[in-house]
Amino acid sequence: MSDKRILIIGSVAIDSIETPFGKRNSILGGSATYSSISASFFNKDVNIVAVVGRDFPKAHTSLLARRGIGLDGLEVADGKTFRWKGNYRYDLNSPRTIYTHLNVFKDFKPFVPAGLRNCPYVFLANIDPDLQDEVLSQVKGPKLVLCDTMNFWIQSKRKSLLKLMKKVDMFLMNEGEARLLSGETNLIKCAKFAMSKGARSVIIKKGEHGVLFFSKRFNCAVPAYLLETIRDPTGAGDSFAGGMMGYLSYKRKASERNLRKSLVYGSIMASFAVEDFSVRRLLGLKRRDVERRYNRFLDTTRF
Ligand code: AMP
């Protein structure tokens, strides 16, 4: 049996969120949190590298452990956990960041435990690109590297991000971030820009309008799952990436067919994540719920 372990570096956070449908303070969030839980529906060997502060509730750590997420790389440091506050208006695609408190991430020196240094699947979830790079440099010969980012890092660490882009197989951004990074308006041009900087393929998330995939081999567009109830879009991108990586690791081969299907599974996981605040909806899911929605998705997109 070939190795299908996944390693994820990203934020584990305490979020405060306001959407037109409600408001929550100090709830579990973070890119590594959403993506690891989402990936765990496809792969039972998902591990994270991240840091939290002493204030991080034990209940959150237990929740991740119960989900089977490997926490050997989760450091508990003196100081406060990363905190993010976001506010969404009726256009749910892009939040307004009220604050980003990096806290313990400011001095974090990521350390990949020896047993995880040969993980074949690596997801560099949204966090400081220098930390993403440090983790990647500790991993030996990964088979597939997916990298996500956001406007915060494009603005503050552009140089580091461009350096990192050369080392990844798939680079993920939302449409606003793709435009910010490239200075282009057209999304095909945005993707070409990222590929000219070394990314081997580019995925552009368009929220409720789906996702675009670009590579030298093929391009494709996948719509979002038709969803009537959205309560909190936070974590959609991370859940998408986790689902995609989970599916690709489960199939063990990034063929065109598997890549196309992974985009659909990613969209399905994102559609669940936004139905409730924090990771509530994801935690209540069974794998058969994912399959049911996948089949309904095929039905609504068949011509
Ligand atoms: P998304 O999937 O893009 O909605 O990501 C949502 C998560 O990203 C939230 O739970 C936040 O805690 C986390 N987040 C927000 N800003 C940052 C940042 N600058 N770096 C890393 N994670 C962040």
Side-chain angles (χ1 to χ4, degrees), residues 38 41-42 211 222-227 236 239-241 243-244 261-275 281-282 285-301:
S38 174
F41 284 90
F42 305 89
V211 61
V222 172
Y225 180 79
L226 282 179
L227 198 64
S239 305
F240 169 86
M244 197 180 167
K261 284 178 81 169
S262 75
L263 296 169
V264 178
Y265 275 108
S267 305
I268 298 297
M269 296 315 293
S271 75
F272 282 118
V274 302
E275 286 184 309
R281 183 70 174 111
L282 291 180
L285 285 178
K286 295 269 180 292
R287 178 61 203 257
R288 64 170 177 275
D289 300 319
V290 176
E291 287 312 314
R292 212 173 284 143
R293 204 167 262 200
Y294 180 85
N295 288 328
R296 230 176 284 146
F297 182 94
L298 294 185
D299 217 42
T300 52
T301 53

Side-chain angles (χ1 to χ4, degrees), residues 245-260:
M245 204 58 174
Y247 182 75
L248 286 172
S249 64
Y250 158 72
K251 296 304 275 188
R252 295 188 174 88
K253 200 170 165 226
S255 62
E256 177 175 340
R257 179 180 162 79
N258 291 342
L259 272 166
R260 285 178 186 263

Side-chain angles (χ1 to χ4, degrees), residues 2-301:
S2 62
D3 190 355
K4 60 180 175 75
R5 287 171 302 152
I6 299 181
L7 183 69
I8 298 178
I9 161 127
S11 54
V12 173
I14 305 284
D15 288 346
S16 291
I17 312 279
E18 205 176 323
T19 80
F21 316 107
K23 194 174 160 180
R24 297 287 184 282
N25 279 323
S26 301
I27 53 176
L28 175 61
S31 57
T33 307
Y34 282 102
S35 56
S36 61
I37 294 175
S38 174
S40 71
F41 284 90
F42 305 89
N43 186 330
K44 292 289 164 233
D45 209 337
V46 181
N47 305 274
I48 60 178
V49 171
V51 62
V52 292
R54 304 249 172 242
D55 58 346
F56 191 65
K58 296 262 177 315
H60 292 343
T61 317
S62 316
L63 176 158
L64 291 168
R66 272 202 309 279
R67 189 67 222 164
I69 311 296
L71 300 178
D72 290 353
L74 180 67
E75 189 185 316
V76 183
D78 284 333
K80 285 189 176 160
T81 302
F82 176 101
R83 283 179 181 258
W84 178 74
K85 182 169 184 170
N87 177 314
Y88 298 81
R89 301 275 164 85
Y90 272 93
D91 163 22
L92 293 169
N93 281 343
S94 42
R96 197 159 61 92
T97 291
I98 312 293
Y99 61 67
T100 305
H101 297 320
L102 295 176
N103 296 333
V104 285
F105 266 104
K106 245 186 275 168
D107 302 312
F108 182 44
K109 295 271 165 287
F111 176 78
V112 180
L116 296 174
R117 291 195 174 188
N118 54 355
C119 275
Y121 296 92
V122 179
F123 176 41
L124 308 172
N126 176 30
I127 194 64
D128 184 335
D130 288 330
L131 296 179
Q132 293 175 312
D133 201 17
E134 261 181 73
V135 163
L136 189 57
S137 67
Q138 292 176 46
V139 181
K140 278 187 231 87
K143 204 165 151 183
L144 191 74
V145 181
L146 171 64
C147 179
D148 191 13
T149 195
M150 75 181 285
N151 49 9
F152 185 87
W153 302 114
I154 296 173
Q155 277 157 340
S156 62
K157 292 264 177 126
R158 184 183 168 83
K159 235 174 146 179
S160 302
L161 199 59
L162 290 176
K163 195 175 126 214
L164 180 64
M165 217 179 263
K166 296 185 187 6
K167 306 180 191 174
V168 306
D169 296 298
M170 301 190 283
F171 195 77
L172 191 61
M173 305 169 273
N174 72 29
E175 55 185 320
E177 291 152 2
R179 292 186 173 116
L180 180 67
L181 179 75
S182 63
E184 299 282 357
T185 317
N186 180 280
L187 294 177
I188 303 171
K189 289 191 172 142
C190 294
K192 281 189 172 163
F193 173 86
M195 285 165 78
S196 76
K197 296 291 174 196
R200 287 186 269 282
S201 55
V202 176
I203 303 161
I204 302 183
K205 299 168 285 182
K206 302 191 322 143
E208 62 186 315
H209 305 297
V211 61
L212 303 175
F213 177 89
F214 299 92
S215 71
K216 286 209 178 80
R217 272 193 291 165
F218 72 100
N219 299 338
C220 74
V222 172
Y225 180 79
L226 282 179
L227 198 64
E228 198 173 337
T229 309
I230 299 178
R231 297 187 73 202
D232 173 17
T234 311
D238 307 316
S239 305
F240 169 86
M244 197 180 167
M245 204 58 174
Y247 182 75
L248 286 172
S249 64
Y250 158 72
K251 296 304 275 188
R252 295 188 174 88
K253 200 170 165 226
S255 62
E256 177 175 340
R257 179 180 162 79
N258 291 342
L259 272 166
R260 285 178 186 263
K261 284 178 81 169
S262 75
L263 296 169
V264 178
Y265 275 108
S267 305
I268 298 297
M269 296 315 293
S271 75
F272 282 118
V274 302
E275 286 184 309
D276 207 341
F277 285 85
S278 186
V279 291
R280 280 179 67 109
R281 183 70 174 111
L282 291 180
L283 291 178
L285 285 178
K286 295 269 180 292
R287 178 61 203 257
R288 64 170 177 275
D289 300 319
V290 176
E291 287 312 314
R292 212 173 284 143
R293 204 167 262 200
Y294 180 85
N295 288 328
R296 230 176 284 146
F297 182 94
L298 294 185
D299 217 42
T300 52
T301 53

